[in-house]
Each structure stands twice: as structure tokens, then as C-alpha cells.
Amino acid sequence: MKNKYVENEHISLFLFFSVAVIYAVIYMTKNCYSAAMVLLVEENFLTKTQTGTISAMFYLVYAVFQVIGGIAADRFSPHKLIAIGLVGAMISNAAISVATNYYAMMGIWTFNAAIQFGVWPAIFKIVSTMLAPAHRHNAIFYITFSSTIGSVLSYLIAGMVNGWRANFVVSAISLLVCSVFWIVAGKFFDKNMVSEEPIGHGVAHLPEKMVHDNNSEISIAKLLLTSGIIIMLPAISLKSIFSVGMQSVIPSMLKESYTTVSPSVASILNIFPILIGILGKYVMQFIYSKKRHNEAMTMALCMLVMMIPLFVMSFVGKISVWCIVVMVSAVLLISNAAGVVSTTYLPVRFNKMGKTATVSGIVNAMASLGIVMSNFVSPRLADMFGGWVEVTYAWLAFAAESVLIFLISYLPWRKFVAKQND
């Protein structure tokens, strides 16, 4: 497929802000179930295990379909893939707001996971290759803030609305507005795109390459093996336990460990760590702006440092709730820093092969599996042992495993990066 991009910088900025807002809304509505989990349990509509199972099933299906979405985004129109995701998510959120039982909710939310197969790969394709070349470096970094904004909005809404059903109604209305806008605006953006892209991704610390056609002849399996990403993928799954996955269970953890914390207060308290996590993105942006780094080693160091606040969290229920909130904030700060590396800088390394969206979809799929583990395993451990201390022990073990895996992938990834820089 011939590469196209927006040459006009004013229209390019409009395109970026459009996809940034849309992804924030998509992320808010994707995360609204996680934000509503504490309300579903409080209202005795679902058990804690059932809420975790639905959330885990969503991300399990989402992970599988992200691989398909990544391949599709490199071959077909990203605008159409985003439109499909918006309309499908709107239908899902409207339907789940009137769900009457566990099985109906499971089916609807699983469909929602599948229909969003191409949203993130398509958005990453747009910001990394379809914006004006001068905008891509900043766009690749700042698009990660959309997920943070979406998370904050989801927990803020969950803490403000009256009941969990209203939570999904707000999401459905937001998606309806975005769907109408994107379908109309998509035609405008398509008309203002030109072929024969003159330069690569525009990321300062990565080598620029001339890119004209996507090279579909290069085997993605071969790229994964020779680059060492195939080794990294399990660690990327483990890393995501401490970003999105932890956000899902923290409100329940706070409410059940501290009698003075209500469901609404637990949701609101979870906003503080998410906001502080933004600093992690800036920290990593600053580090990478100074010199080139090996992504495998960078993520290994992040996970190693993260073990300190995770250890303090093992005293949950015995120390101040505010101390736990601070430790959660530290974990999200570090995991957000590592997330910038895995979700943006790492896939961009494959730009000259025309596999940016494909690798982005695979990485996002593995990250989603980590969320599955967090939402499926964490509540069950809490139910099994009657508390959350054992859950924090498991988190410590996951962090240690990820450090080891990233270190093993260091040498093959270093060779791959050196080859790309030649």
C-alpha cells in the first residue's frame, strides 16, 4: 500500500488533535468498566470474581484482535478502522447499560473488545507516518497522554454518576459524538493527503530513512525473532500489570483494606496516581532526548526500581491509606515511563520495513494480556486469602520476572538496533 501523509501542517495539527481526543474518549469508554467494577460489587450486581472475569475476558479477546488490527492498519485505511471501533464501542456501551445479568454483560463486553481491533494500531499508524514530518516526533510522544486523560475521566465519571448504569450511558453518548465527527472529518483528511512520503518517522533519537512503499515481503515472524522482541513480549505483558491492570483493582483494594474508604472515594483516590503517572512520560521523553538508549535495558531498569514501592505496598491495611496512594503513584510513574518505550519508541524501530502498525498491534496485544492477568488473578488471590497482601507479593514476583526477561533480550535487541543505525 502506498504511503500517504498530510502535507499541510495546519491540517496535520487538526488531524493529530482529532485522533488524540478520539483515543482519549475510546480509552475512557474502554476503561469505564474497570472504573465501575467497585460499583458493580457494591450494588451486589456482580461478585468480585465475576467483575474480574469479565474484565479479563475483554482484554484477552482484545489482545488477540490487536494482532489482526496491527496487520490491517498497515494494509487498509486507518480512518475506516477507527470508525468501525467507534461505532461498535458505542453500541456495546449502550447495550451494557441495560444488561440484566452476568452472562449478558460478559457477551456484550467481549464484543466490544473484538470490534476495537484496529483502533490503537490505526491511530499509531496515523501519528507515526501520516502526519506532516515535522509533527511526528512530538505526536508519537503526546498521543500517549490520551490514555492517561481517558483513565482519569473514567474514574472521575464513576465517582460522580449515580450507579454503574449511568457510567455506561455517559460513555455511549460520548462515543456517538465522536463517531459522527470522525465519519465526517475522515473524508476531509483523506482529501488532503498526498502520496510519496519524503522522510521517515521524525523521531530525533532514531535514524531517519527514506520510506515510499510498505515492504510486505519482510516476514514479521523473522523480524520478531532476529530483533529479540519475541523474548521481550512476555515481559511487556508483565509490565502492563502495573499500569492499566493495577488501575483496575486499586479502588477495590483501597475500599476493602480501609473501612473509612467508600466506593466513590476509592475511585476518586485512584485519579491521583494516574495523574502523577504523567510525570513518568516526561521523564522518559527527557532521557531519550539526550541520547539513544537500548529499549530492553531501559525497561529492565524501570522494573527493577519499581520493586521498591511494590514492597512498601505489601503493608497495605497496616499503614496509612495515603502512603499506599503515594506508592501506587510511584508504581504508575515508573510503569508509564516504561510504557512510553514499549508502545512508541520500540515499534518505531520498524518504520523503514513498513511494519510500524503491525509491531504496535503485537506489543499492544501482549500488554493487554498483562491486564488480563491483573484483572483475573488479582481479585482471585484477594478472595482466596481474604486480603490484598498476597496480591502485592505476586506483583513483586512479576516485576522480578520482567527484569530477568528484559535483560535476556538485551543482546539481540542491541544487535538489531545497531543494524538499523548503519
Side-chain angles (χ1 to χ4, degrees):
M1 186 183 80
K2 202 68 129 178
N3 284 316
K4 291 186 176 183
Y5 75 106
V6 176
E7 189 174 36
N8 185 293
E9 293 193 358
H10 294 292
I11 297 176
S12 176
L13 283 174
F14 181 37
L15 174 57
F16 170 72
F17 283 114
S18 297
V19 296
V21 171
I22 284 173
Y23 190 57
V25 173
I26 280 282
Y27 206 89
M28 177 192 79
T29 59
K30 183 176 72 174
N31 202 48
C32 70
Y33 174 81
S34 297
M37 283 170 62
V38 67
L39 296 175
L40 287 162
V41 174
E42 180 70 14
E43 296 176 25
N44 295 317
F45 187 83
L46 298 176
T47 66
K48 190 163 51 187
T49 296
Q50 286 175 330
T51 60
T53 301
I54 292 175
S55 186
M57 183 59 68
F58 173 91
Y59 283 103
L60 181 61
V61 173
Y62 184 77
V64 174
F65 278 83
Q66 281 296 286
V67 178
I68 300 172
I71 297 171
D74 275 329
R75 295 175 180 269
F76 305 107
S77 168
H79 296 98
K80 292 179 181 177
L81 294 176
I82 294 172
I84 291 171
L86 283 168
V87 173
M90 175 195 68
I91 294 171
S92 299
N93 277 268
I96 206 169
S97 68
V98 294
T100 57
N101 58 65
Y102 166 66
Y103 297 102
M105 187 170 282
M106 171 76 81
I108 294 168
W109 214 235
T110 301
F111 168 78
N112 189 31
I115 202 65
Q116 293 189 43
F117 71 101
V119 173
W120 169 248
I123 287 176
F124 192 77
K125 179 76 173 180
I126 288 173
V127 299
S128 63
T129 66
M130 299 176 73
L131 297 179
H135 295 157
R136 293 174 197 166
H137 172 59
N138 288 330
I140 288 172
F141 172 66
Y142 283 110
I143 193 63
T144 62
F145 285 81
S146 291
S147 59
T148 303
I149 294 171
S151 293
V152 171
L153 288 174
S154 65
Y155 287 101
L156 186 61
I157 291 171
M160 295 174 62
V161 297
N162 183 23
W164 64 267
R165 294 185 187 277
N167 193 55
F168 291 102
V169 170
V170 172
S171 292
I173 294 172
S174 301
L175 287 163
L176 174 61
V177 174
C178 286
S179 298
V180 173
F181 167 79
W182 185 248
I183 291 171
V184 174
K187 297 179 180 179
F188 168 76
F189 292 132
D190 281 338
K191 289 180 181 178
N192 285 278
M193 287 192 175
V194 298
S195 298
E196 295 299 329
E197 167 178 312
I199 196 71
H201 44 68
V203 179
H205 73 280
L206 299 180
E208 295 288 1
K209 299 289 182 180
M210 297 295 287
V211 179
H212 295 288
D213 292 305
N214 290 335
N215 190 347
S216 58
E217 296 180 0
I218 300 177
S219 167
I220 185 62
K222 182 179 180 180
L223 282 176
L224 293 177
L225 286 170
T226 57
S227 66
I229 280 194
I230 195 71
I231 303 173
M232 270 190 242
L233 290 178
I236 290 174
S237 289
L238 292 172
K239 180 195 66 64
S240 67
I241 290 175
F242 307 104
S243 51
V244 181
M246 184 176 284
Q247 292 174 24
S248 302
V249 298
I250 287 300
S252 295
M253 175 178 163
L254 294 178
K255 173 186 173 293
E256 294 175 13
S257 301
Y258 298 93
T259 56
T260 57
V261 177
S262 67
S264 296
V265 171
S267 293
I268 297 297
L269 282 176
N270 205 29
I271 293 175
F272 293 104
I274 296 172
L275 288 174
I276 293 174
I278 294 175
L279 294 176
K281 299 177 186 288
Y282 279 108
V283 169
M284 193 55 67
Q285 171 76 343
F286 175 78
I287 292 172
Y288 265 75
S289 68
K290 295 302 178 183
K291 65 176 183 177
R292 297 176 186 173
H293 284 260
N294 182 292
E295 284 79 8
M297 180 59 71
T298 301
M299 289 189 283
L301 292 174
C302 284
M303 301 307 293
L304 183 62
V305 174
M306 188 190 296
M307 294 178 69
I308 298 173
L310 284 173
F311 172 74
V312 178
M313 286 176 62
S314 66
F315 296 96
V316 62
K318 300 176 181 177
I319 58 178
S320 168
V321 64
W322 288 106
C323 184
I324 296 298
V325 170
V326 170
M327 292 302 105
V328 174
S329 300
V331 170
L332 291 184
L333 186 150
I334 298 167
S335 63
N336 271 277
V340 170
V341 178
S342 63
T343 61
T344 58
Y345 295 144
L346 191 148
V348 163
R349 294 282 190 185
F350 296 85
N351 189 54
K352 77 170 186 176
M353 300 94 164
K355 303 294 185 182
T356 303
T358 301
V359 174
S360 178
I362 292 172
V363 169
N364 202 34
M366 295 306 295
S368 298
L369 289 179
I371 303 171
V372 172
M373 287 190 289
S374 181
N375 286 290
F376 189 78
V377 175
S378 298
R380 277 165 174 74
L381 287 175
D383 279 339
M384 186 184 304
F385 293 100
W388 288 87
V389 174
E390 288 76 14
V391 177
T392 62
Y393 293 158
W395 289 341
L396 270 170
F398 292 151
E401 289 174 32
S402 67
V403 172
L404 179 61
I405 295 171
F406 280 130
L407 289 177
I408 293 173
S409 67
Y410 170 74
L411 287 178
W413 181 250
R414 187 179 68 175
K415 292 179 181 178
F416 174 77
V417 170
K419 186 177 179 181
Q420 303 311 307
N421 292 338
D422 289 339

